[in-house]
Amino acid sequence: MSDAGAPVSLADYEARARETLDANAWAYFAGGAADEITLAANRAAWAASWLQPRVLRASAQGHTRVELLGRTLAHPILVAPMAFQRLAHESGELGVALAAAAQGAGMVLSAQASVPLEQVARLVRPEPARGPLWFQLYLQGERGFDLELVRRAEAAGYEALVLTVDAPVHGARDRERRAGFRLPPDVAAVNLAAAPTSARGGELCGGLLASAPSWDDVAWLRAQTKLPLVLKGVLHPEDAKLAHAHGADALIVSNHGGRTLDTALPTAWALPRIADALAGVSGAALPLLVDGGIRRGTDVLKAIALGARAVLVGRPIAFALAAAGPQGVAHALRLLRDELEIAMALAGVATLADVPRELLFEASKSSLGAPWERPR
């Protein structure tokens, strides 16, 4: 990629992806649930937090390293689990995994990946500077199949399991329905090919909730594996406490990128409430991660200030993959890390462990108002 005309922000990649993807794939990657209120609010909530930088602070020994689940990460940016990445580019999850490894970013492989989980692990595990490699699970309602998938992930060398808990059914994705979304014949959730057909029973959602996971399933999964167990999709402080009680090793504060329950609160609002709730529970030192609307290095810094140990980025990675393949993904991750370093330097924080909650000045306390409310 030459410098002339190259993307300089994640938004640039989104614009290029819009020109590259067909209507079917664009609806899938860009869309959210229903009126897409939560989808928009995720981004707006980060923008509504103002930074109060400190000046003349010593930062010569600064760095972006963080400790997470027994590993030292070069920086706190991970690739979120996203299904069917071969919709965006022929290299799919393999290209994203290589790009993430090249940038020292962690990757969470979706259970609905369009390539075998073993193939991704073989490709990137030998990379010495890669970030952590985690595997996402959706419990399928049949413990024999679920346990087989866990054992495959363990044998392949994945370092943690990420159980998504906020999507027992699909959201009402109007944009996908308007586009008549269909997977092309050569793209499928290959790791779930032998998954059981969901049981039917009850009235809600055509009986699909009969096989929806519960806290008992979390406890069962915790007992089946020695891998760290991360719960993804927690927004309520009481659920965060229950996750701790059921043996979770970390939590991802997430509303599924606005793709499930529309008008669910934005993650930037949920994160500090969960952090505060867990701070009041003895022994509940759960690392928190967050996703949803992260587009700038300043967003990453704000997430750390609000209690996150790391962030996950989803749609921008799919857009970069569509626009420029694996090279675009690597460049997008580098842009985000560079912006984080710039934000740290200008905010007067040398390390992420030094980021205080007081770095943020809430828009509601300012006569300037939120960015979208100011006169133009």
Side-chain angles (χ1 to χ4, degrees), residues 79 93-105 124 325-331 333:
V79 175
E93 290 83 357
L94 296 175
V96 171
L98 276 177
Q103 292 299 322
V124 300
Q327 186 179 5
V329 173
H331 184 234
L333 288 167

Side-chain angles (χ1 to χ4, degrees), residues 254-292:
S254 174
N255 54 35
H256 218 94
R259 292 171 67 83
T260 52
L261 177 64
D262 200 20
T263 71
L265 77 164
T267 52
W269 290 3
L271 174 59
R273 291 161 176 78
I274 289 176
D276 291 345
L278 290 176
V281 178
S282 177
L286 288 182
L288 298 179
L289 299 87
V290 67
D291 66 10

Side-chain angles (χ1 to χ4, degrees), residues 291-302:
D291 66 10
I294 302 289
R295 297 293 184 273
R296 287 285 188 180
T298 46
D299 299 335
V300 182
L301 185 61
K302 292 171 185 179

Side-chain angles (χ1 to χ4, degrees), residues 22 29 54 82-83 90 100 125 131 158 201 208 264-265 296 309 311 326-327 329 332 335 353 373-374:
D22 62 26
F29 287 119
R54 298 294 304 272
M82 293 174 289
E90 61 184 2
R125 281 194 66 213
Y158 287 83
L208 288 174
L265 77 164
R296 287 285 188 180
R309 190 77 59 87
V311 306
Q327 186 179 5
V329 173
L335 284 174
E373 295 171 343
R374 297 198 304 271

Side-chain angles (χ1 to χ4, degrees), residues 131-191:
L133 182 63
W134 299 350
F135 183 72
Q136 179 216 28
L137 285 171
Y138 287 98
L139 292 179
Q140 301 297 311
E142 205 286 304
R143 287 184 173 179
F145 176 83
D146 292 332
L147 186 56
E148 180 182 355
L149 198 57
V150 168
R151 296 292 180 251
R152 285 178 61 190
E154 291 172 335
Y158 287 83
E159 299 160 76
L161 298 176
V162 177
L163 178 63
T164 292
V165 297
D166 63 347
V169 296
H170 283 295
R173 300 179 189 170
D174 292 359
R175 195 190 307 208
E176 288 182 27
R177 291 187 290 184
R178 291 188 186 105
F181 174 74
R182 295 291 186 274
L183 285 173
D186 61 338
V187 176
V190 296
N191 296 297

Side-chain angles (χ1 to χ4, degrees), residues 20 49 54 56 61-62 68 123 169 173 320 323 366-368 376:
T20 302
S49 296
R54 298 294 304 272
L56 302 177
Q61 304 303 314
L68 184 62
L123 186 66
V169 296
R173 300 179 189 170
S366 169
S367 61
L368 292 175
R376 295 185 182 275

